Amino acid sequence: MESKRTDLRVQKTQRQIKEALLELLNEQSFDSITVSRISERAMISRSTFYDHYPDKYTLLEHMYDEIEEQLIAITDAYFSEKGSDYRMELAGKILRYVLDNARLFRILLSDTVPPRNLLQLLLEVLQPRCLEYLKNHPNKYGLDNQFVTSIYTSIIYICLQWVAGHQDPADIDRILALSLHVGKLFYD
């Protein structure tokens, strides 16, 4: 029972630290943020911060890793052979995840947060999976798979920006409807 309590305390502290970093990123650049400021904002000691993360870069990378895990799970399922209805359901999950974490995504979608931005992460996650899918599902125009993958990745990136920036839940259904029509441009 004690390990469960410890796990909950660890999770709570890590949430506080991440929240503090996000608040600070709304106010100043990542480079100007110090571990002391993060700790102060999270209402923890610096040593507690260091118990969880060796530095602010690792903290930020951990936040990217959490998003990457979500995107990998969803995109692996998305590029399965389950059909367009299933893909639209998963696309909706991605957009709702972005809506639920809009502040995080707005910050990570900016070019001001090192060591990488969300576009780079999308490219790393989506492109290989999309390319593999396109090997078995050629588009009706005979376009290069890399080109089609770039179009898909760009559309997804723009959709994520829109949802994170505008935070209108009704936009999700409209975006999904548009995505379905765009997909029909490439496939029968």
Side-chain angles (χ1 to χ4, degrees):
M1 187 67 157
E2 183 61 33
S3 70
K4 196 173 212 174
R5 286 181 117 172
T6 303
D7 289 346
L8 290 175
R9 283 190 297 241
V10 167
Q11 290 173 17
K12 181 181 177 199
T13 302
Q14 288 178 343
R15 260 194 318 274
Q16 285 174 251
I17 293 169
K18 291 173 193 171
E19 184 65 28
L21 177 60
L22 288 176
E23 288 174 10
L24 290 167
L25 284 169
N26 275 327
E27 301 166 9
Q28 59 196 84
S29 72
F30 182 78
D31 290 335
S32 65
I33 296 172
T34 63
V35 169
S36 293
R37 284 289 293 136
I38 296 169
S39 301
E40 180 183 306
R41 184 65 64 100
M43 295 187 283
I44 59 170
S45 67
R46 280 178 45 137
S47 64
T48 299
F49 177 94
Y50 289 121
D51 287 342
H52 296 275
Y53 304 100
D55 54 39
K56 68 180 186 176
Y57 299 96
T58 305
L59 166 60
L60 184 62
E61 195 60 34
H62 182 73
M63 293 167 79
Y64 276 114
D65 290 346
E66 289 175 349
I67 292 171
E68 184 175 16
E69 286 176 27
Q70 292 288 328
L71 290 175
I72 287 171
I74 293 171
T75 54
D76 281 347
Y78 182 87
F79 289 115
S80 68
E81 299 295 328
K82 295 195 178 181
S84 63
D85 289 343
Y86 183 68
R87 280 194 289 282
M88 286 297 104
E89 180 184 325
L90 290 171
K93 280 185 178 181
I94 290 171
L95 294 175
R96 282 186 287 284
Y97 175 70
V98 171
L99 182 64
D100 292 343
N101 298 280
R103 185 172 56 152
L104 170 65
F105 277 88
R106 275 194 318 276
I107 291 167
L108 297 183
L109 284 164
S110 73
D111 291 331
T112 60
V113 182
R116 60 182 176 167
N117 63 30
L118 197 56
L119 177 57
Q120 180 184 351
L121 178 61
L122 282 172
L123 293 174
E124 292 168 6
V125 171
L126 290 175
Q127 283 193 333
R129 288 160 179 81
C130 189
L131 283 169
E132 185 61 35
Y133 179 82
L134 291 174
K135 283 181 188 175
N136 301 317
H137 301 86
N139 64 75
K140 62 185 175 184
Y141 299 107
L143 293 168
D144 180 78
N145 286 346
Q146 186 64 50
F147 177 71
V148 175
T149 298
S150 296
I151 290 172
Y152 275 8
T153 304
S154 298
I155 289 171
I156 291 169
Y157 180 71
I158 291 166
C159 292
L160 297 182
Q161 278 184 311
W162 183 267
V163 170
H166 291 86
Q167 299 179 46
D168 183 354
D171 282 345
I172 292 174
D173 289 333
R174 294 188 282 258
I175 289 169
L176 293 174
L178 176 62
S179 297
L180 192 57
H181 290 292
V182 169
K184 288 178 182 177
L185 292 174
F186 292 100
Y187 306 98
D188 294 324

